[in-house]
Amino acid sequence: MRRAVVTRPEAEARRWVSALERQGWQALALPLIAIGPPADPLALARARARLADHDALMFVSPAAVAQFFAVQRWTDDYASGRTRCWAPGPGTARALLAAGVPPERIDQPAPDAENFDSEALWRAVQAQLVPGHRLLVVRGQSDAGAASPQGKGRDWLARQCQALGGSVDWCVAYRRQAPDWSDAERKLARDASRDGSVWLLSSSEAVGHLADLLPGADWSRALALATHPRIAEAAQVMGFGRVLQSRPTLADVLSTLESIS
């Protein structure tokens, strides 16, 4: 049986490794993104204090939820009675539930959506948009200095909201960084690049970190399972010999793994 290499941030990676092992899979956590505090914690505190000013809050990832609600869980007094929480996928929706957000307040893509991303989320929430609608996007910020700091998908969704008369504010809840791998982790990664392990890739930025962490590595014999077409493209550019795609739910990832085991 092939081994799965889970590259999500540490907290998520631990949950995925446990879930995969419960299903009988060998799994290894090698996080490719480290989560750090935001560069401007005062701006985050101000955003938390103004929750009730917004009609909807979009959380771009489970990490965004965890960091935003790190000092106070959701309560009915924490936001207005109309405030919705938008999640681009089921992982973020689960994080919102864990933070105390009532399920009836959460909007997310349909369960059978082809991808879980901003475009799929927009199809689920666009009916909420009316002139004057106020959206707060809770996101991370990359140390890599990406060309579009809001992220391509989030920037696209913001434009859709603005085109319908809404306004969009941005809040940085955490900082995404390259992990500081030990020599032992680098050896594990090099071995996994050629021993038939399946690299589970859920972020294009993570793919870039992998290239930086193992410069000159040969990925032509490596197998990647990407959870979005943009991630698959990044893996192909990096040189993975075989790149498969899957929806990002555990059930879909397991199904794809079973097909190649």
Side-chain angles (χ1 to χ4, degrees):
M1 177 179 292
R2 295 177 186 267
R3 179 177 60 178
V5 180
V6 182
T7 63
R8 292 169 179 264
E10 184 177 359
E12 292 180 64
R14 288 197 303 267
R15 290 193 292 270
W16 271 76
V17 166
S18 295
L20 288 165
E21 289 178 341
R22 286 195 298 270
Q23 297 297 322
W25 281 87
Q26 298 179 40
L28 167 68
L30 280 176
L32 285 174
I33 291 182
I35 302 299
D40 189 350
L42 291 179
L44 174 57
R46 288 193 295 269
R48 289 176 176 138
R50 299 197 306 270
L51 272 192
D53 295 344
H54 296 88
D55 299 288
L57 315 171
M58 177 188 172
F59 294 87
V60 306
S61 67
V65 177
Q67 297 302 312
F68 193 84
F69 291 114
V71 298
Q72 181 176 353
R73 284 168 53 85
W74 175 283
T75 67
D76 289 340
D77 294 333
Y78 196 20
S80 77
R82 71 179 187 279
T83 307
R84 310 289 303 174
C85 289
W86 296 357
T92 305
R94 285 193 297 271
L96 286 167
L97 289 171
V101 180
E104 64 271 15
R105 293 285 194 96
I106 300 172
D107 299 298
Q108 60 181 310
D112 59 352
E114 182 176 355
N115 293 307
F116 293 123
D117 53 18
S118 296
E119 291 85 348
L121 174 62
W122 176 245
R123 290 191 287 273
V125 301
Q126 59 182 316
Q128 298 177 23
L129 267 292
V130 295
H133 183 277
R134 294 195 63 182
L135 171 67
L136 175 66
V137 180
V138 182
R139 63 182 178 91
Q141 188 172 46
S142 173
D143 281 355
S148 176
Q150 292 88 7
K152 293 180 180 179
R154 274 83 78 182
D155 192 50
W156 176 87
L157 186 142
R159 291 196 300 271
Q160 309 314 305
C161 293
Q162 291 163 342
L164 293 180
S167 63
V168 181
D169 297 318
W170 300 87
C171 165
V172 175
Y174 65 99
R175 190 168 68 252
R176 297 188 307 276
Q177 304 166 293
D180 184 16
W181 275 3
S182 65
D183 290 342
E185 287 172 317
R186 291 176 190 273
K187 182 180 186 306
L188 283 171
R190 288 190 183 278
D191 290 344
S193 72
R194 51 181 178 254
D195 66 3
S197 296
V198 185
W199 288 76
L200 306 185
L201 302 175
S202 56
S203 163
S204 299
E205 186 174 355
V207 177
H209 288 168
L210 181 57
D212 293 337
L213 286 161
L214 295 179
D218 179 7
W219 295 97
S220 62
R221 291 182 289 166
L223 170 60
L225 197 167
T227 56
H228 193 278
R230 286 192 287 266
I231 304 169
E233 181 180 359
Q236 289 166 343
V237 170
M238 183 173 162
F240 272 85
R242 185 181 179 194
V243 180
L244 304 176
Q245 290 188 47
S246 166
R247 295 166 78 244
T249 67
L250 177 62
D252 287 301
V253 169
L254 281 168
S255 178
T256 306
L257 287 173
E258 292 288 351
S259 73
I260 59 177
S261 61

